Amino acid sequence: MDRLGNLIKQNPNIIELRSKLAEVYYESGFLDSAGKYWILTEPVDNRIKKCVELYQKSVSYSGHQILREIKFNGDKTQLDEYAQAKIAELESDSEIKTGYIPHIENNFQKPKVPYIKYKRTFEDKMADFWAYFVIGVGIILFLIGIYTVFNWIFI
């Protein structure tokens, strides 16, 4: 699956790669994932229609979401008529519903790592408190020890 996924990223205009990956997902029992990769393929049999319908239902028939997930970054003019029409339909739906058409750049060479802001939990705050508490007690005991040593020597 990973190898086919990488081949799709490198050769986005070859729909047959998407079909092969869809077959792998279908044989593995992941019907909605198979539909995701079959969405640009003309439905020639019932199983393709079923998987594509299941996938579209899983994303609430959102053209915007489908375009973001299929990540087609190739040349649309090199695709067959069905795939061109399907992409145009998804783009039209996305434009109508969100006012935006997602464009996926070919970033195979440099994957972007999303920045996720971490929200500290109560346990994190308590761990910090106990760490500072132990360090503070250590410093206080150290100072008491120095004071006691001076008292022994000079008194």
Side-chain angles (χ1 to χ4, degrees):
M1 288 185 220
D2 289 338
R3 289 180 182 159
L4 280 171
N6 287 335
L7 283 172
I8 290 170
K9 287 178 186 177
Q10 290 175 340
N11 306 297
N13 296 327
I14 303 175
I15 297 298
E16 290 78 26
L17 292 174
R18 289 179 178 271
S19 294
K20 287 181 182 179
L21 184 55
E23 286 288 341
V24 172
Y25 277 119
Y26 183 80
E27 295 298 324
S28 299
F30 299 106
L31 302 182
D32 57 336
S33 295
K36 175 174 137 178
Y37 289 99
W38 266 329
I39 199 156
L40 298 179
T41 304
E42 189 167 1
V44 292
D45 62 9
N46 226 7
R47 68 188 179 123
I48 294 176
K49 289 178 188 176
K50 177 183 164 189
C51 290
V52 170
E53 179 65 27
L54 184 64
Y55 170 66
Q56 288 176 327
K57 186 177 180 182
S58 74
V59 293
S60 303
Y61 300 95
S62 169
H64 181 77
Q65 184 68 25
I66 292 170
L67 286 171
R68 287 182 59 217
E69 288 185 8
I70 65 172
K71 298 177 182 174
F72 180 78
N73 56 4
D75 184 9
K76 297 176 213 172
T77 60
Q78 293 183 5
L79 299 176
D80 63 1
E81 291 179 20
Y82 179 83
Q84 287 181 13
K86 190 65 174 180
I87 288 178
E89 174 189 332
L90 294 171
E91 287 176 343
S92 173
D93 181 67
S94 178
E95 180 72 32
I96 290 169
K97 290 182 180 173
T98 65
Y100 176 74
I101 299 173
H103 295 286
I104 308 298
E105 296 178 9
N106 190 351
N107 57 359
F108 181 71
Q109 300 298 331
K110 50 177 184 170
K112 293 181 182 177
V113 177
Y115 174 75
I116 299 171
K117 186 171 181 170
Y118 179 74
K119 185 175 180 184
R120 295 182 46 161
T121 63
F122 177 74
E123 289 83 26
D124 294 335
K125 292 175 184 176
M126 287 304 295
D128 289 347
F129 168 78
W130 285 111
Y132 290 128
F133 178 78
V134 169
I135 291 171
V137 168
I139 291 172
I140 290 172
L141 290 176
F142 176 74
L143 293 175
I144 290 173
I146 290 177
Y147 176 76
T148 304
V149 168
F150 274 144
N151 278 341
W152 287 341
I153 295 175
F154 298 113
I155 294 182

